[in-house]
């Protein structure tokens, strides 16, 4: 038994988020995507919190379902993201942290304490605090030591732990002595586990991936999959907040553990390469080594992309071992630490359909999407474990070919930079012939 978890997302009460991010649509889309466990997101927002209080019921310790859920319930766990802006060591720092709470009662206490300290929780589902990461850790764990704090999308330049613009060089610099209680980091869309395997201090920490979705269709574009660790306990299907925490902390006696993560191509993320959006300058780490960090157009410093920043902080190279699953999905293992959970790279089904069907009409795309989901249960099943011939029968040869190419990693991506998303090409045009897989190997 496996649990597909997406624990970083935002409700309709966060800025720039779809009005459809409410409990009804979250449950509906989680099922379409094949997600079993969702974060609530935004539990600090007073209006969202009161919805959670009235509409959720606890089914096992710290795990909730909708009171009036449809036949197969989706599980929820209480999560939020906090944005800290403060100065340390004479520099302005900005970092986003995820907080997972073991109960509605603890979430309520956190909200009360933040309000008491003058934080305006109504302003945004992802509130901004003047508290440093150290003070935040102190506050959260003084209220409930079972909470988890997880630095979010750790490589984005502007708002993250290792961010090139306003981040830190190490967990210790950011969290002081509390670094011992930081058991995991989130990769974010612009990095994949292999990039994080290169960082010494992350050696024994968990690498998590979640979607950071702002609309229902983006749910699960990255996810973390849990499995039962000890095969003799297979009949124990209970999953509580404690089980989730024990798996993330990699406790010896944990019943569950991380099986693998599902990744967006990091090149698709908004900050993969170094560059300037307005000046249309984009540089790979190799190009940056020779050309430097100053924009040749405007003369100002370029926004340093995730790849270059990883190069700066990395202690070793990571070698990837690629193995193919039964249905042709490439699974990426760490050659240095084979016991680390591996990962697979996917392209969201709606993106594949857009290119395969040569349309951007939402109605046409959703119709093709629903047709596949109704036949094969969920997006994840379609992407990784439905025989290609069966997909061809339902959706046509070209869609089947697209999914097969994604499984084998035979796609090309124009990397994102300085806030601009990368562009996926499953069927590259003649002048875009560099296969991504080759390029990726040379980077590591
Ligand atoms: Zn964030
Ligand atoms: Zn410029």
């Amino acid at each position: 038994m496996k649990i597909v978890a997406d624990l970083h997302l935002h409700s309709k009460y966060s800025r720039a988020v779809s009005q459809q991010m409410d409990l009804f649509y979250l449950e509906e889309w989680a099922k379409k995507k094949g997600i079993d466990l969702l974060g609530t997101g935004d539990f600090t927002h007073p209006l969202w919190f009161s919805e959670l209080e009235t509409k959720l019921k606890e089914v096992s310790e710290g795990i909730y379902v909708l009171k009036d859920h449809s036949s197969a319930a989706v599980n929820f766990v209480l999560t939020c993201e906090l944005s800290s802006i403060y100065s340390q060591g004479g520099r302005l720092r900005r970092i986003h942290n995820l907080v997972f709470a073991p109960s509605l009662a603890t979430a309520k206490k956190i909200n009360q304490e933040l309000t008491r300290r003058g934080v305006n929780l109504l302003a945004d589902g992802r509130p901004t605090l003047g508290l440093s990461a150290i003070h935040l850790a102190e506050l959260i764990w003084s209220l409930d030591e079972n909470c988890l704090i997880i630095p979010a999308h750790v490589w984005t330049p502007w708002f993250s732990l290792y961010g090139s613009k306003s981040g830190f060089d190490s967990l210790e610099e950011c969290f002081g002595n509390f670094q011992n209680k930081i058991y995991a980091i989130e990769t974010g869309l612009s990095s994949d586990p292999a990039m994080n395997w290169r960082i010494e201090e992350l050696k024994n920490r968990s690498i998590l991936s979640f979607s950071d979705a702002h609309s229902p269709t983006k749910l699960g574009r990255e996810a973390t999959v849990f499995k039962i660790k000890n095969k003799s306990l297979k009949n124990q299907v209970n999953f509580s907040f404690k089980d989730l925490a024990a798996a993330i902390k990699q406790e010896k006696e944990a019943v569950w553990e991380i099986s693998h993560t599902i990744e967006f191509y990091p090149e698709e993320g908004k900050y993969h390469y170094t560059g300037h959006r307005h000046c249309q300058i984009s540089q790979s780490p190799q190009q940056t080594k020779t050309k430097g960090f100053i924009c040749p157009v405007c003369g100002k410093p370029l926004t340093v992309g995730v790849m270059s920043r990883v190069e700066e902080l990395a202690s070793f190279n990571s070698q990837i071992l690629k193995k193919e699953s039964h249905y042709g999905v490439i699974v990426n293992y760490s050659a240095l630490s084979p016991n680390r959970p591996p990962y697979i790279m996917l392209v969201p089904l709606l993106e594949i359909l857009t290119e395969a069907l040569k349309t951007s009409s939402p109605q046409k795309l959703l119709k093709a999407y629903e047709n596949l989901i109704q036949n094969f249960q969920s997006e994840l099943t379609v992407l990784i474990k439905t025989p290609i011939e069966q997909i061809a029968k339902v959706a046509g040869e070209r869609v089947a070919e697209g999914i097969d190419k994604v499984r084998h990693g035979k796609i090309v991506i124009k990397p994102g930079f300085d806030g601009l998303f990368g562009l996926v090409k499953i069927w590259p045009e003649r002048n875009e012939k560099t296969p991504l897989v080759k390029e990726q190997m040379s980077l590591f």
Side-chain angles (χ1 to χ4, degrees):
M1 190 196 170
K2 286 193 175 153
I3 291 178
V4 178
D6 183 359
L7 307 180
H8 182 182
L9 53 92
H10 292 282
S11 76
K12 60 185 175 185
Y13 297 106
S14 276
R15 249 170 249 159
V17 171
S18 153
Q19 281 309 300
Q20 287 199 338
M21 288 300 262
D22 65 18
L23 288 167
F24 174 80
Y25 282 109
L26 282 175
E27 168 159 86
E28 187 170 295
W29 274 90
K31 276 191 263 180
K32 288 183 200 202
K33 295 279 174 177
I35 299 165
D36 308 295
L37 179 66
L38 269 188
T40 59
D42 299 358
F43 74 63
T44 50
H45 196 278
L47 298 176
W48 187 236
F49 186 77
S50 76
E51 270 187 54
L52 300 177
E53 259 187 327
T54 49
K55 292 182 181 166
L56 295 179
K57 66 173 182 199
E58 197 170 26
V59 283
S60 88
E61 236 181 291
I63 305 289
Y64 298 81
V65 298
L66 279 178
K67 277 177 186 161
D68 53 351
H69 64 81
S70 41
S71 53
V74 169
N75 291 313
F76 285 91
V77 62
L78 291 149
T79 63
C80 71
E81 184 183 32
L82 303 172
S83 172
S84 287
I85 302 184
Y86 56 103
S87 88
Q88 181 178 321
R91 276 178 56 202
L92 185 66
R93 314 292 181 138
R94 288 179 276 217
I95 174 174
H96 287 180
N97 286 296
L98 303 174
V99 177
F100 298 174
S103 66
L104 277 165
T106 292
K108 192 172 204 167
K109 275 196 238 166
I110 292 172
N111 295 352
Q112 284 167 344
E113 187 56 29
L114 289 172
T115 306
R116 204 180 65 79
R117 300 208 190 187
V119 180
N120 180 1
L121 295 180
L122 259 175
D124 191 352
R126 184 188 55 211
T128 299
L129 334 171
L131 288 175
S132 70
I134 292 174
H135 285 128
L136 176 69
E138 200 171 23
L139 180 155
I140 298 288
W141 285 318
S142 71
L143 295 173
D144 190 334
E145 59 179 12
N146 295 312
C147 289
L148 291 173
I149 299 179
I150 296 163
H153 42 72
V154 292
W155 295 101
T156 55
W158 299 102
F159 291 98
S160 78
L161 172 65
Y162 298 134
S164 60
K165 290 285 182 190
S166 41
F168 301 82
D169 288 344
S170 70
L171 278 162
E172 190 177 10
E173 189 192 3
C174 181
F175 287 97
N177 291 335
F178 289 111
Q179 62 132 338
N180 296 325
K181 293 184 73 179
I182 304 295
Y183 298 99
I185 56 97
E186 183 199 34
T187 62
L189 299 180
S190 297
S191 88
D192 62 20
M195 290 159 68
N196 291 281
W197 292 338
R198 302 182 60 190
I199 306 301
E200 174 85 43
E201 65 179 358
L202 300 183
K203 225 170 162 181
N204 297 310
R205 292 182 161 97
S206 293
I207 309 291
L208 306 177
S209 288
F210 305 121
S211 72
D212 200 352
H214 287 204
S215 63
T217 57
K218 307 281 189 216
L219 287 172
R221 57 185 168 180
E222 296 213 318
T224 300
V225 182
F226 296 88
K227 65 177 183 194
I228 291 182
K229 190 173 165 185
N230 186 335
K231 285 198 178 105
S232 66
L233 295 170
K234 248 190 176 156
N235 291 331
Q236 176 173 352
V237 285
N238 187 45
F239 186 83
S240 66
F241 184 88
K242 274 198 183 120
D243 289 315
L244 172 70
I248 290 173
K249 292 178 179 177
Q250 305 179 48
E251 285 176 358
K252 270 208 181 80
E253 56 284 9
V255 176
W256 294 77
E257 66 182 346
I258 297 172
S259 161
H260 60 278
T261 58
I262 297 170
E263 305 288 328
F264 203 63
Y265 275 89
E267 293 83 351
E268 263 197 277
K270 289 192 277 190
Y271 294 102
H272 195 67
Y273 272 12
T274 294
H276 258 177
R277 183 172 12 171
H278 295 296
C279 307
Q280 295 190 312
I281 293 296
S282 165
Q283 296 176 182
S284 70
Q286 288 91 331
Q287 289 171 320
T288 303
K289 265 184 199 156
T290 55
K291 294 183 178 172
F293 292 98
I294 298 298
C295 175
V297 176
C298 71
K300 289 181 190 152
L302 295 168
T303 301
V304 177
V306 164
M307 280 308 301
S308 289
R309 182 65 176 151
V310 171
E311 288 293 336
E312 244 174 72
L313 297 185
S315 308
F316 23 72
N317 287 323
S318 68
Q319 273 180 309
I320 306 171
L321 282 180
K322 291 179 185 287
K323 293 184 191 169
E324 207 175 304
S325 82
H326 185 59
Y327 293 111
V329 182
I330 303 291
V331 187
N332 300 277
Y333 291 84
S334 162
L336 287 177
S337 326
N339 290 331
R340 290 197 92 141
Y343 65 95
I344 60 174
M345 325 245 349
L346 295 177
V347 173
L349 182 54
L350 281 165
E351 283 181 35
I352 300 174
L353 292 172
T354 305
E355 214 185 320
L357 304 175
K358 293 182 182 148
T359 175
S360 51
S361 145
Q363 291 87 341
K364 279 186 192 159
L365 288 170
L366 279 175
K367 199 177 158 211
Y369 183 87
E370 293 290 347
N371 183 32
L372 278 163
I373 304 305
Q374 272 160 22
N375 277 280
F376 306 115
Q377 193 186 344
S378 73
E379 176 170 341
L380 259 184
T381 324
V382 172
L383 291 178
I384 64 179
K385 49 184 178 192
T386 304
I388 290 297
E389 313 80 66
Q390 285 188 29
I391 294 175
K393 272 184 205 151
V394 166
E397 291 289 342
R398 197 168 153 88
V399 171
E401 188 195 333
I403 290 171
D404 196 49
K405 277 168 157 287
V406 168
R407 287 183 186 177
H408 288 91
K410 288 182 180 155
I411 60 172
V412 174
I413 300 179
K414 197 175 159 199
F417 63 98
D418 196 21
L420 209 66
F421 275 110
L423 220 63
V424 179
K425 278 277 179 196
I426 298 167
W427 290 274
E429 277 128 41
R430 250 184 227 161
N431 54 351
E432 304 169 308
K433 57 185 182 299
T434 340
L436 176 79
V437 184
K438 248 189 208 156
E439 184 175 317
Q440 226 186 5
M441 303 260 247
S442 72
L443 294 178
F444 300 107

